[in-house]
């Protein structure tokens, strides 16, 4: 009897069942999962969009030294009274003017320009590592779901194989009952066992369908698709050595730690705006060149007085410049902005300490799962070989009429349990391999 089930058998069985449900079948393997989980996942896309937002903020902060240029036309009309510069009033005024020109205004805050740009650069780096951290998390979740899918699929196929075998045994017992060699109760027990296996098969099919739907969600695929693993039989992976001691490099490689590091740098750079930045002045300049004058000598509809027709525009220009230092007394007395930045830095430092503890925990758990999983699948492999031989002998004895049906049923159950134990042990072991890589910051 074959101990393991080849991918061809798995695919054929699963495709037949899925086709009956009128769903589109999508073959998938571990390589495809690794490829799609890093490209199509919506959570990763969200963090990539946030990363682009940080880059846009950096571009915005670099605009600080560029002036605003304006150009256009402006008209002015006043009827009634107006006051002269020395305080005298003029009545029956009909004042009209036109301004047409080009100018610019600029206000350069050197502290904002220097430190805000630097803070934005660090924030972009932090966003990059936050995206990497989320990508690693999603990839690991997709891998774990894939192995759960593969385990459920293997279990489902194992039940199918066992049901086919049970059907053959039931037919043999029926012939023996007809020949008077067996009791009717033994046939009923065989049919009952077959019904139980069918129920368990449906449970395995439901578990498989749930894992398929979850993996479809993670990979952002069409919800109508049903995934079928076409990987070869579940075998343990050996690409990661067990790590029993946590080194500093384990912390340094984690993108979460790097994201916190650059967030702290960004806060420290932004804090300098309120401290060192006070020594920098703000430079302001405004200038324009234009034509300005009267454009009409029409009679006012409100006042009978006529004005001479001039329609004369004169060239004019202006320049204003300033260099000022702002002394924020509130900031110097209470230091609220500095305290706020210091508190935010402390929050990030606490987060870093929490992540270090979390990383140590993840590495420890993954290491223990590796050691435990390796022992489990070795035991399960031996159990499969033993129960397969026991089942084979029981079936042969049943054909000869020297074995009771319940002995065959029990052998079937033990063989099935050994298979399921093996699939689950391999799945846990392989998930622990990737879990350790993720804990060490190597899964990207």
């Amino acid at each position: 009897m074959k101990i393991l089930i080849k991918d061809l058998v798995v695919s054929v069985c699963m495709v037949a069942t899925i086709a009956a449900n009128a769903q589109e079948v999508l073959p998938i393997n571990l390589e495809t999962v690794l490829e799609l989980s890093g490209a199509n996942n919506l959570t990763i896309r969200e963090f990539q969009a946030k990363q682009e937002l940080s880059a846009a903020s950096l571009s915005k902060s670099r605009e600080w030294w560029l002036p605003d240029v304006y150009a256009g036309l402006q008209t002015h009309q006043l009827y009634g009274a107006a006051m002269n510069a020395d305080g005298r009033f003029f009545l029956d005024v009909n004042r009209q003017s036109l301004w047409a020109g080009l100018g610019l205004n600029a206000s350069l805050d050197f502290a904002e320009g220097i430190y805000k740009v630097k803070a934005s650069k660090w924030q972009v780096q932090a966003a990059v590592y936050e995206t990497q951290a989320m990508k690693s998390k999603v990839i690991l979740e997709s891998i774990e779901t894939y192995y759960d899918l593969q385990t459920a699929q293997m279990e489902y196929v194992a039940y199918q194989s066992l049901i086919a075998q049970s059907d053959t045994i039931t037919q043999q017992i029926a012939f023996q009952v007809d020949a008077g060699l067996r009791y009717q109760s033994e046939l009923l027990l065989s049919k009952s066992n077959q019904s139980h296996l069918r129920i368990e098969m449906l449970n395995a099919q439901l578990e498989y369908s749930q894992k398929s739907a979850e993996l479809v969600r993670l990979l952002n695929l069409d919800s109508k698709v049903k995934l079928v693993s076409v990987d070869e039989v579940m075998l343990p992976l050996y690409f990661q050595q067990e790590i029993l001691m946590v080194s500093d490099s384990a912390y340094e490689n984690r993108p979460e730690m790097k994201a916190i590091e650059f967030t702290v740098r960004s806060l420290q750079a932004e804090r300098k705006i309120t401290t060192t930045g006070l020594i920098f002045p703000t430079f302001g300049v405004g200038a324009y060149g234009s034509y300005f004058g009267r454009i009409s000598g029409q009679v006012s509809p409100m006042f009978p007085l006529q004005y001479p027709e001039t329609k004369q525009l004169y060239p004019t220009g202006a320049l204003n410049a300033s260099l000022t230092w702002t002394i924020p007394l509130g900031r110097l007395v209470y230091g609220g902005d500095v305290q706020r930045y210091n508190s935010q830095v402390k929050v990030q430092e606490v987060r870093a300490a929490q992540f270090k503890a979390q990383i140590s925990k993840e590495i420890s758990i993954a290491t223990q799962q590796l050691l435990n999983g390796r022992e489990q699948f070795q035991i399960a492999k031996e159990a499969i070989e033993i129960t397969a031989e026991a089942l084979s002998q029981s079936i042969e004895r049943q054909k000869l009429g020297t074995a009771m049906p319940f002995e065959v049923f029990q052998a079937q159950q033990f063989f099935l349990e050994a298979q399921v134990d093996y699939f689950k042990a391999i799945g846990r072991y392989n998930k622990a391999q990737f879990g350790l890589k993720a804990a060490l910051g190597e899964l990207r």
Side-chain angles (χ1 to χ4, degrees), residues 394-441:
S394 297
I395 292 175
E396 292 301 321
R397 288 175 55 214
Q398 189 275 330
K399 291 179 182 178
L400 299 174
T402 60
M404 301 298 292
F406 72 87
E407 295 180 18
V408 181
F409 304 154
Q410 192 173 43
Q412 284 181 323
Q413 185 65 31
F414 288 160
F415 177 64
L416 180 63
E417 289 175 354
Q419 284 183 303
V420 173
D421 287 343
Y422 180 80
F423 298 149
K424 290 182 177 180
I426 294 296
R428 283 192 294 265
Y429 180 79
N430 288 347
K431 287 191 291 185
Q433 291 276 11
F434 284 102
L436 185 55
K437 287 182 71 68
L440 296 173

Side-chain angles (χ1 to χ4, degrees), residues 20-36:
N21 296 329
Q23 283 187 284
E24 181 182 354
V25 176
L26 179 62
I28 196 168
N29 56 17
L30 182 59
E31 182 181 357
T32 307
V33 171
L34 290 172
E35 180 181 352
L36 294 179

Side-chain angles (χ1 to χ4, degrees), residues 116-284:
K116 197 73 173 179
V117 171
K118 185 175 292 187
S120 296
K121 287 181 179 179
W122 296 136
Q123 197 58 46
V124 169
Q125 289 295 321
V128 169
Y129 285 112
E130 286 174 355
T131 302
Q132 287 184 4
M134 182 53 61
K135 184 176 181 180
S136 176
K137 181 179 179 180
V138 170
I139 290 175
L140 179 60
E141 186 179 0
S142 299
I143 291 172
E144 291 177 341
T145 304
Y146 172 74
Y147 277 116
D148 290 341
L149 166 73
Q150 192 179 25
T151 299
Q153 180 175 310
M154 291 287 189
E155 184 176 352
Y156 171 73
V157 175
Y159 272 110
Q160 278 194 326
S161 175
L162 211 58
I163 287 173
Q165 187 181 80
S166 178
D167 183 62
T168 301
I169 293 174
T170 300
Q171 291 179 7
Q172 292 174 351
I173 294 176
F175 292 145
Q176 291 173 348
V177 169
D178 292 340
L181 301 176
R182 293 284 185 185
Y183 294 105
Q184 183 69 26
S185 60
E186 293 177 332
L187 177 60
L188 296 177
L189 286 175
S190 180
K191 291 182 178 180
S192 175
N193 178 69
Q194 193 173 11
S195 298
H196 171 72
L197 292 176
R198 290 186 183 278
I199 291 174
E200 293 300 321
M201 182 191 70
L202 292 175
N203 289 332
Q205 184 183 19
L206 178 60
E207 177 70 13
Y208 157 75
S209 298
Q210 291 174 344
K211 296 304 179 182
S212 174
E214 177 63 17
L215 190 56
V216 164
R217 181 190 68 82
L218 288 171
L219 301 182
N220 192 27
L221 301 174
D222 190 342
S223 60
K224 297 179 181 179
V225 166
K226 197 118 180 184
L227 300 177
V228 176
S229 172
V230 293
D231 266 329
E232 293 188 359
V233 292
M234 296 183 69
L235 296 174
L237 303 175
Y238 293 102
F239 55 76
Q240 183 67 63
Q241 297 295 324
E242 290 86 355
I243 305 295
L244 299 179
M245 298 296 294
V246 182
S247 62
D248 291 338
S249 61
Y251 302 127
E252 296 171 357
N253 289 336
R254 285 293 291 263
E256 294 93 338
M257 299 298 295
K258 290 184 179 292
I260 292 175
E261 175 187 345
F262 283 105
T263 299
V264 170
R265 290 188 187 183
S266 176
L267 290 171
Q268 291 172 339
E270 200 168 350
R271 181 177 57 189
K272 289 184 178 180
I273 298 175
T274 64
T275 55
T276 310
L278 295 179
I279 67 175
F280 294 100
T282 298
F283 175 70

Side-chain angles (χ1 to χ4, degrees), residues 327-390:
I327 303 176
L329 295 179
R331 185 187 306 169
L332 295 177
V333 173
Y334 294 102
D337 287 336
V338 176
Q339 293 178 21
R340 180 166 58 87
Y341 284 118
N342 289 340
S343 297
Q344 290 176 331
V345 170
K346 288 182 180 178
V347 169
Q348 295 301 319
E349 290 174 348
V350 172
R351 288 187 62 207
Q354 290 174 334
F355 267 116
K356 281 187 176 182
Q358 178 66 25
I359 291 169
S360 298
K361 174 185 173 182
E362 291 175 3
I363 293 176
S364 176
I365 291 175
T367 301
Q368 291 302 317
Q369 286 177 337
L370 281 176
L371 296 174
N372 186 269
R374 175 176 295 177
E375 186 175 357
Q376 282 188 5
F377 75 70
Q378 288 176 346
I379 294 173
K381 183 178 180 181
E382 294 175 0
I384 288 180
E385 295 173 353
I386 294 172
T387 54
E389 180 62 27

